[in-house]
Amino acid sequence: MSELDMDFLLGAEDDDEGRDRRRSRGSGRSGNRRRRRRRNRGRFIAPLLAFIVLAGIIGGGGYFGYQWLRGALVPDDYTGQGKGDVVIEIKEGQSASDVALELERQGVVASAQAFTNAIATAGKSASLQPGSYTMRKGMSAALAVKLLDSGNRLLVRVQIREGLRLSDTLAQLAKQTGKPQKEFLAAARSARALDLPRYAKGKPEGYIFPATYEFQPKDTPADILGKMVERFEQEADKTGLENGAKSLGRTPGEIITIASIIQAEAGRYEDMPKIARVIYNRLQHQPPMKLKMDSTVMYGLGKYRTAATLAETRIDTKYNTYMHEGLPAGPIANPGEHAIEAALSPEKGDWLYFVATDPDSNVTKFATTDAEFKKLLDEYHRNGG
């Protein structure tokens, strides 16, 4: 074989090896490109799969998500006026949220949130008043807000006039509230339950203040009498009862006893300060002088006439001021504001007597001497007294 042939063969082998090496290098570069493409595809597919999964979750649970969102933003609410009656009580110190939960619990509104939204929209969140209200089940929250206005509270209105004795006051309370009179009698016997002032000495006569009241239907007889005693104490503070009694040399209990006599004897408010002066003048008179008030005699006998007979003035009771000096054993009625004020601020004068000379007009005239007093009695008799 010639050298040329040998060179050709060697060159051919070199070319084959070169091609093999080039093929091998080319194969490596294409592999790298394929791996890079796979990695790029992985980076794109992962978020795509996450999105698909999330979309599936949202799509599959979209209804429930909508319902949750709707409940948070647009709470369940009834649309009608409801039906049936249910009494809702708002207690002292309860917030609008507390009331909302109670309304939902009793089926008045569909949800507490609906009521809370409605009362906030109405600007009445802070205006709810304690008391009992008649509502309906299944009513709209907006209507529930309107029905909880203080003007719709269930109240029992009671009016007790001035000068009633305790027994008559209890009878009136029973009649006007519809509660058993025996429960009022039982409550009146419990001085501790009524929280009477110390100077009442455990007896409610004189301390059940006459006025117009509004009670809750759930108030018991003890609650009612307790509130009336509380009203008396407010009046006592307003008139300065304790300090005023001290300045007159009397106890607060004695002032209320005097006020009860004034209330029973007076026909007009303007006469009360003068009647008070007559009482004080007789109590302080020298030589001692009995009060001789017919009203106290009638109270001791359980009678109601304005004038006692001679025979009645001779019946011995601890309220007979014809027989006993000084004040009777205690108040004979429940005095009002004017009588208490008159007892604390008697008008200046020397009067020792008074007579309601005209029973029809309740005009009362005053006298200083026995002779003047007899003339007033004659006038009283001429006018049919």
Side-chain angles (χ1 to χ4, degrees), residues 265-285:
E265 294 283 351
R268 302 180 305 175
Y269 291 140
E270 56 263 39
D271 294 327
M272 287 183 172
K274 286 186 177 182
I275 293 175
R277 176 51 63 191
V278 171
I279 293 172
Y280 283 114
N281 285 346
R282 289 189 182 187
L283 290 172
Q284 297 164 1
H285 193 269

Side-chain angles (χ1 to χ4, degrees), residues 123-142:
K124 295 183 177 180
S125 298
S127 63
L128 291 175
Q129 297 295 315
S132 298
Y133 301 79
T134 298
M135 313 289 285
R136 292 186 291 273
K137 291 192 174 184
M139 66 195 310
S140 71

